[in-house]
Amino acid sequence: MGALNMGLSEEELKPLVAAWRIANPNIVRLWWDVDSSVKEAVKERTKTETHRIRFEYRSGMLLIWLPSGRQLTYVKPRMGINSFGSESVTYEGIGTTKKWERIESYGPKFVENIVQAISRDILCFAMQNLDKAGYKIVMHIHDEAVLEVPLEVSLQDICTLMGKTPPWAEGLLLRADGYECNFYKKD
């Protein structure tokens, strides 16, 4: 995440990583629960589930079913040995060479994909709410929607719409912030 470019050495990173993992045991547990579920689905060519996320091996694909019902698809998954000598899941995809190649993955990387996909689903739900309310969405960037609205429109009303929890994410607390300007800029 850029620490080496900022002048930190590999040796300085190890205690920082260890401290972060100790402070965030639920995230670390999620990583390895997902890792186990993915491995079982690929090895046994079956369905598994953990933390309301379903995993399925079907027709040469690993499917990860998100809480929204949408799925992530990994092509031709199989078991392999990673660069650390441990068992891991690999799949075919576009790699760093911009060509199809076998890509190595593991629990934390799958969780990163899952979190990004769920974030996308939440933004899409918010954008649907904005559209139904008649707001003109000009563009969206990561976790923000850019609207073109008359001056009298309430920013709070827009934030309330964007902060609604999707039905498939019951219990998730959301809140949106915003700002007004005459041209697009990063806040």
Side-chain angles (χ1 to χ4, degrees):
M1 296 190 5
L4 295 176
N5 295 334
M6 295 181 344
L8 291 173
S9 70
E10 287 282 348
E11 293 307 312
E12 290 173 303
L13 290 178
K14 289 178 184 176
L16 293 173
V17 169
W20 187 92
R21 289 180 178 179
I22 289 168
N24 296 280
N26 293 333
I27 295 172
V28 173
R29 186 173 25 260
L30 174 63
W31 290 348
W32 303 119
D33 289 348
V34 165
D35 190 71
S36 295
S37 290
V38 167
K39 285 178 181 175
E40 182 183 347
V42 172
K43 282 182 192 176
E44 306 297 325
R45 297 182 177 218
T46 189
K47 296 178 184 180
T48 61
E49 185 173 337
T50 188
H51 303 276
R52 292 184 51 208
I53 302 163
R54 292 179 296 135
F55 306 85
E56 179 181 0
Y57 180 95
R58 184 179 3 147
S59 302
M61 306 285 184
L62 170 65
L63 307 175
I64 300 179
W65 296 91
L66 303 169
S68 66
R70 196 167 65 90
Q71 68 190 31
L72 301 178
T73 304
Y74 297 84
V75 178
K76 297 181 183 174
R78 68 177 184 218
M79 299 307 298
I81 302 298
N82 66 21
S83 56
F84 301 103
S86 299
E87 182 180 63
S88 72
V89 171
T90 66
Y91 60 91
E92 290 185 9
I94 305 294
T96 56
T97 62
K98 304 291 185 211
K99 296 180 181 177
W100 278 88
E101 59 187 63
R102 187 140 290 274
I103 298 172
E104 176 183 298
S105 197
Y106 64 117
K109 193 168 158 188
F110 284 115
V111 169
E112 179 183 9
N113 293 168
I114 291 164
V115 168
Q116 291 295 325
I118 291 171
S119 298
R120 176 260 182 212
D121 292 345
I122 291 169
L123 178 61
C124 284
F125 179 77
M127 289 171 58
Q128 288 171 337
N129 288 336
L130 291 168
D131 186 61
K132 285 177 194 167
Y135 292 106
K136 180 182 177 188
I137 301 169
V138 178
M139 66 179 173
H140 61 89
I141 308 98
H142 299 293
D143 62 349
E144 52 182 311
V146 179
L147 309 177
E148 193 170 277
V149 298
L151 291 175
E152 65 273 6
V153 168
S154 163
L155 176 61
Q156 184 54 48
D157 290 348
I158 292 169
C159 290
T160 298
L161 280 172
M162 288 196 71
K164 283 187 175 181
T165 301
W168 49 264
E170 188 177 325
L172 179 65
L173 301 176
L174 295 176
R175 182 182 57 83
D177 290 323
Y179 60 94
E180 300 173 51
C181 59
N182 292 324
F183 55 89
Y184 177 74
K185 64 178 183 175
K186 288 300 275 181
D187 185 26

